[in-house]
Amino acid sequence: MIAFFLDAYKNVPTYHIVLEFIAFVCGILSVWFAKKENIWVYPIGLIATAITTYLLYLAGYLGDMLVNGYFAIMSIYGWYYWVKNGNQTDDFPITRTNIKEKIIGIALFFLTIIVVFCIYTFFDYEIKKDNYIDIFTAGLFFTGMWYMAKKKIENWTLWIVGDFIATPLYAYRGLGMLSFQYLIFTILAVSAYLEWKKILSDQETVC
């Protein structure tokens, strides 16, 4: 297992490894802050996604690059939205999606898939089998990020599924650190879902 991670970085520039490590640490911290409903999820996440977008651009993974570029934009939106609505749980509580938000989420999922596929086609990128997985997870992550900005508990369900899929995908591509990062993301997302579910249940009991 250790050899797998080390071999992937034998011919990689030092600055590349440093950037990936910073993104690795910031990415995990951002999920932890999200779990705790802490607004630091957004500035820390912005650092992680900006670096990851650059690294994926260098690696030529267009779908993943677009997802992380979107994360950077949504980090700014979510940051503003949380500040606007107040970062305290009483002012901006965790809620479930209503029918309208579910419909928007489904529409966003399919719209994302179509847009990413069209971008691959427009730039004449060869769409390999693993790229179809990129396109699918892009839909999950785009929608999950939007739900997170709204503090909807369903965001964690989408993160769990997407992270679980991404973990072996990055391992297959030889990106060991990213694979390990998404494994940690999966564990944290499950933990966050359970914590948010408990908070939501307590809120509903009080109401």
Side-chain angles (χ1 to χ4, degrees):
M1 180 64 72
I2 295 176
F4 166 74
F5 285 105
L6 294 179
D7 289 344
Y9 296 96
K10 281 184 178 180
N11 300 313
V12 176
T14 302
Y15 85 93
H16 190 290
I17 297 174
V18 171
L19 286 176
E20 191 169 336
F21 180 74
I22 294 173
F24 175 84
V25 173
C26 289
I28 292 172
L29 284 175
S30 69
V31 177
W32 177 260
F33 283 130
K35 173 184 174 181
K36 298 299 181 182
E37 297 181 74
N38 190 309
I39 201 167
W40 277 96
V41 57
Y42 289 111
I44 297 297
L46 187 59
I47 294 172
T49 52
I51 293 174
T52 304
T53 299
Y54 173 69
L55 293 176
L56 290 169
Y57 167 76
L58 295 179
Y61 295 123
L62 183 63
D64 289 336
M65 183 194 77
L66 291 171
V67 170
N68 280 273
Y70 170 81
F71 285 172
I73 295 172
M74 282 302 295
S75 290
I76 296 172
Y77 169 75
W79 194 353
Y80 165 78
Y81 198 83
W82 280 33
V83 169
K84 177 183 176 182
N85 288 277
N87 191 35
Q88 301 302 314
T89 55
D90 291 340
D91 299 326
F92 188 23
I94 298 167
T95 56
R96 301 182 191 276
T97 54
N98 55 36
I99 297 298
K100 178 182 178 181
E101 289 163 338
K102 282 183 171 63
I103 293 172
I104 292 174
I106 293 171
L108 182 59
F109 170 76
F110 285 107
L111 178 62
T112 301
I113 289 176
I114 293 170
V115 169
V116 175
F117 180 83
C118 289
I119 290 175
Y120 266 107
T121 305
F122 179 79
F123 287 100
D124 200 27
Y125 274 76
E126 179 185 0
I127 303 179
K128 301 177 181 178
K129 291 181 180 180
D130 59 315
N131 293 132
Y132 285 106
I133 301 176
D134 285 343
I135 294 170
F136 176 76
T137 55
L140 294 175
F141 290 144
F142 273 40
T143 308
M145 195 70 177
W146 186 73
Y147 280 157
M148 178 178 285
K150 303 292 184 180
K151 271 197 178 179
K152 303 298 177 179
I153 193 171
E154 289 85 354
N155 88 86
W156 291 116
T157 303
L158 298 177
W159 287 118
I160 291 168
V161 175
D163 292 339
F164 183 77
I165 294 172
T167 299
L169 175 64
Y170 283 117
Y172 166 77
R173 289 171 168 173
L175 298 172
M177 197 177 295
L178 277 176
S179 175
F180 184 55
Q181 182 186 50
Y182 274 91
L183 175 61
I184 296 175
F185 282 172
T186 304
I187 296 170
L188 286 175
V190 171
S191 175
Y193 172 80
L194 294 175
E195 186 166 327
W196 277 37
K197 184 179 180 181
K198 182 180 183 301
I199 294 171
L200 184 58
S201 296
D202 291 341
Q203 289 174 181
E204 292 173 343
T205 300
V206 172
C207 294

